[in-house]
Amino acid sequence: MRMTTAQALVRWLIAQRTELFDGAEAPLFPGVFAIFGHGNVLGLGTALEEHRSEIPVWRGHNEQGMALAAVGYAKATHRRQVGVATTSIGPGALNLVTAAGVAHANRLPLLLLPGDTFTSRAPDPVLQQIEPFHDGTASVNDAFRAVSRYFDRITRPEQLLAALPQVARVLTDPADCGPVTLALPQDVQAEAFDFPESLFAPVVHRIQRPRADLRSLSEAASVLRGASRPLLVLGGGVRYSGAGAAAIAFAERFGLPVVETTAGRTLIAHDHPLHAGPLGITGSSSGNELAAEADVVFAVGTRLQDFTTASWTVFSPAVRLVALNAAPFDAVKHGAVAVVGDALAGLADLEPLLDSWSAPATWTARAASARAVWDSHIDKLRSPSPELTYAQVVGLVNDQSGPSDYVMTASGGLPGELIGGWRASGPATMDVEYGFSCMGYEIAGAWGAAMAHPAGIVTTLLGDGSYLMLNSELFSAAFAGHGFVAVVCDNDGYAVIHRLQTGQGAAGYNNMYADCRSDLPVPPRVNFAAHAAALGCAVFEADGVSFAAQYAAARSAASEGKVAVVTVKTHPSSWTEAGAWWEVGVPQTSHRAEVLAARAELDEAKAKQVRYLGH
């Protein structure tokens, strides 16, 4: 079939199907986010227009933002579907790099199709082309190599025959899943080739469930059977395997208290008697309490990031770590007993090896009793006060959210409030992007989540700093008719970093507006309500008294396909503390005594840091 490289690529995208957890089929690539420029409008743009009825194209207004929407889509579909983003060459392409970093850090699929410079080099240097003096083959797209699971530059049409199977492999592989970048030189996009018809035959990509090695399973079972205080840690891999219900059943059979990571949050119902709470710095005192006492930690589907492990101080130095993970890279970390395999299959294979063993009843009961203390603490934080706090905002949103609703955030202080304080009533209904903690994901990711999650209301919570960082996709979503609620908490600056700064003895500087330089006697301030209205959003201005009613009205507007923005002033220094430690780079020398004191505390804490758990 004679067609251009771009036409062949689009035909291939349409032919790819995916199997959902319920066995139904859906498009693997449900749509393309695009901003056209001279590097992609005539090649890929023309091909997409030819198939506009088969694969929708959504216009973005910032390249980073629309690619983050694609990431949000993938997260909301539990990695079963993949968003695509295409841009022109040069600045448009480079604007995708941050989104690639988000997908890479969070192990989420994303297909990036940036335009590239001419392979013929005849018109060089073309508009937006850099010219590295040391490498004639390089372009800005080489910046993607560090943040791509798979990178390729298509310099001849027939190279698609070798590249596309690798693209599909990485995007659907449970271990290697992450961003794929295909750099597309604009002359090659338009070149024709006789492609085999079989390239465009429909293919269904089914859920892969690699089985663990039997000897590894046997060793893991032996370690667990020897435990008197075992703890089950559920991570994002449980979610992406569709193993949530199986993991809870596993915990129930053997009496294992359950804690969650950031990516694993809401896998277990809040009021389940085995739920000890979330783990780590942004987790709960109850989860951290059990983690400190556990003699065996069974970590399923998690890379054990520093916020989860409190920079590796949350566990006892004598703990045994068993890690079930589809990715060998994650399974072997910190000397764990590594069980490499799918979460659902691994739990099923491990269960009979544990036979009649179970954790002591007194230990099992600790989950509910410890979490009750944490719940009481959260109740107090949610109680009314003169100034509205993050905890109160989260509580009021939580009160109106049902099992089919979806809540998300990404940066600042709100991740701690959602992870530590949210009370889940439905499975896997939270997206806290705290792998890359990308400011601006809150709005863009919500657009993608709203597209993928039409059954309930998507609510995203963000601070004023994140809003100002990247807000253009409010208009993209409003124009497209993908409704969600954005709660914008205005606390006068980058409050959480100010808290970190001053909490480690440094002077407040360049974070809160009061500490920022301006040559004006009265600097301007942002009218968030007016700005959001100008972007086509329905706007609801709230305060502590009216927030619940205004949020309810915003939910109603979102259900009608509108992007609804709730603006509210919040207290700049109210945070939920889980009682865990986090390592940051406190200076060893300083003119401030407070900094030196903070450094002494850091050195003392580092002495308790677990570096390797192998036994």
Side-chain angles (χ1 to χ4, degrees):
M1 303 177 68
R2 189 161 185 80
M3 60 183 69
T4 67
T5 304
Q7 289 172 320
L9 177 55
V10 171
R11 285 285 298 271
W12 180 84
L13 291 174
I14 294 168
Q16 307 310 298
R17 308 283 292 172
T18 184
E19 181 185 65
L20 305 179
F21 289 133
D22 61 3
E25 287 186 16
L28 179 63
F29 302 103
V32 177
F33 296 89
I35 294 178
F36 291 138
H38 70 280
N40 67 341
V41 67
L42 295 176
L44 198 56
T46 298
L48 287 166
E49 190 279 329
E50 291 175 355
H51 296 277
R52 62 191 306 168
S53 63
E54 298 165 271
I55 184 167
V57 174
W58 304 105
R59 171 178 154 155
H61 293 85
N62 175 281
E63 292 89 354
Q64 176 184 323
M66 70 180 190
L68 289 175
V71 175
Y73 192 105
K75 182 70 176 283
T77 61
H78 311 318
R79 296 202 313 201
R80 298 313 307 152
Q81 291 182 286
V82 183
V84 184
T86 179
T87 70
S88 189
I89 65 176
L94 279 180
N95 279 349
L96 297 174
V97 172
T98 298
V102 171
H104 197 289
N106 289 280
R107 313 291 206 265
L108 292 171
L110 171 67
L111 179 56
L112 300 175
L113 304 175
D116 211 327
T117 53
F118 283 83
T119 57
S120 70
R121 305 188 187 176
D124 285 7
V126 298
L127 180 66
Q128 299 181 327
Q129 178 180 353
I130 64 168
E131 293 183 278
F133 295 168
H134 66 289
D135 187 349
T137 68
S139 77
V140 297
N141 289 333
D142 289 278
F144 286 98
R145 294 182 184 273
V147 287
S148 297
R149 289 285 186 195
Y150 179 80
F151 176 90
D152 205 345
R153 178 176 281 111
I154 304 301
T155 58
R156 293 182 60 86
E158 59 266 37
Q159 289 176 350
L160 285 182
L161 300 176
L164 292 179
Q166 301 302 327
V167 170
R169 174 189 64 82
V170 173
L171 294 174
T172 60
D173 188 278
D176 287 346
C177 186
V180 169
T181 302
L182 284 188
L184 302 173
Q186 59 177 307
D187 53 346
V188 178
Q189 290 182 47
E191 289 180 13
F193 178 75
D194 293 328
F195 288 94
E197 186 174 354
S198 57
L199 180 66
F200 312 115
V203 175
V204 180
H205 299 274
R206 307 191 186 281
I207 301 169
Q208 297 183 42
R209 302 203 181 279
R211 315 297 290 212
D213 175 73
L214 293 177
R215 290 169 296 183
S216 299
L217 286 164
S218 178
E219 183 180 3
S222 177
V223 173
L224 283 167
R225 285 196 303 269
S228 58
R229 299 181 304 280
L231 183 67
L232 179 60
V233 180
L234 301 184
V238 177
R239 173 179 182 168
Y240 304 137
S241 171
I248 303 308
F250 184 93
E252 290 170 343
R253 175 170 177 180
F254 300 112
L256 302 178
V258 176
V259 296
E260 305 155 294
T261 72
T262 299
R265 217 30 199 101
T266 70
L267 282 166
I268 185 170
H270 173 76
D271 58 359
H272 194 288
L274 291 177
H275 184 213
L279 185 63
I281 301 161
T282 52
S284 60
S285 61
S286 53
N288 294 339
E289 178 183 323
L290 267 69
E293 297 178 25
D295 59 352
V296 172
V297 169
F298 183 24
V300 183
T302 172
R303 64 194 183 113
L304 293 174
Q305 182 222 25
D306 71 333
F307 261 66
T308 297
T309 65
S311 296
W312 286 96
T313 61
V314 76
F315 301 126
S316 164
V319 77
R320 295 295 306 273
L321 177 62
V322 178
L324 170 59
N325 205 296
F329 183 91
D330 293 318
V332 303
K333 288 177 177 175
H334 297 278
V337 175
V339 183
V340 179
D342 169 71
L344 183 63
L347 291 171
D349 291 342
L350 183 60
E351 186 170 338
L353 300 180
L354 295 175
D355 194 21
S356 59
W357 170 83
S358 64
T362 52
W363 172 251
T364 301
R366 287 287 304 283
S369 62
R371 199 197 71 243
V373 175
W374 178 251
D375 286 349
S376 177
H377 175 63
I378 294 297
D379 287 341
K380 292 176 182 176
L381 294 178
R382 289 183 172 187
S383 60
S385 62
E387 292 185 88
L388 198 65
T389 66
Y390 273 6
Q392 291 163 1
V393 168
V394 168
L396 291 166
V397 171
N398 204 166
D399 289 344
Q400 295 190 38
S401 297
S404 62
D405 292 330
Y406 195 81
V407 65
M408 56 192 299
T409 191
S411 61
L414 284 162
E417 305 301 329
L418 273 183
I419 298 166
W422 189 262
R423 293 171 177 174
S425 59
T429 54
M430 180 186 291
D431 175 7
V432 176
E433 195 289 285
Y434 230 35
F436 218 51
S437 188
C438 180
M439 295 181 71
Y441 176 80
E442 298 95 334
I443 287 175
W447 179 23
M451 296 171 68
H453 195 77
I457 300 297
V458 172
T459 297
T460 184
L461 296 99
L462 65 154
D464 51 311
S466 285
Y467 183 97
L468 292 174
M469 188 77 71
L470 186 61
N471 52 58
S472 54
E473 299 335 293
L474 281 174
F475 177 71
S476 301
F479 181 88
H482 300 132
F484 61 86
V485 180
V487 177
V488 181
C489 299
D490 181 3
N491 57 21
D492 291 323
Y494 299 142
V496 76
I497 295 301
H498 172 80
R499 172 175 173 261
L500 174 63
Q501 184 179 50
T502 57
Q504 298 300 319
Y509 181 61
N510 199 49
N511 284 314
M512 304 305 290
Y513 288 122
D515 300 323
C516 295
R517 177 172 178 170
S518 173
D519 292 334
L520 296 174
V522 182
R525 296 299 299 275
V526 177
N527 185 328
F528 293 100
H531 185 269
L535 292 177
C537 302
V539 176
F540 303 85
E541 296 185 74
D543 56 23
V545 175
S546 65
F547 180 83
Q550 294 292 70
Y551 175 65
R555 287 175 59 89
S556 178
S559 69
E560 299 173 355
K562 299 176 182 178
V563 176
V565 175
V566 181
T567 63
V568 63
K569 290 285 291 184
T570 52
H571 193 282
S573 58
S574 58
W575 314 103
T576 299
E577 298 281 0
W581 177 73
W582 184 37
E583 182 175 1
V584 292
V586 182
Q588 289 186 323
T589 63
S590 173
H591 68 284
R592 292 177 62 87
E594 299 91 337
V595 172
L596 296 178
R599 178 67 200 200
E601 293 177 2
L602 181 146
D603 292 338
E604 181 181 356
K606 277 189 68 65
K608 305 172 185 177
Q609 201 168 34
V610 177
R611 299 299 299 272
Y612 194 79
L613 295 173
H615 292 272

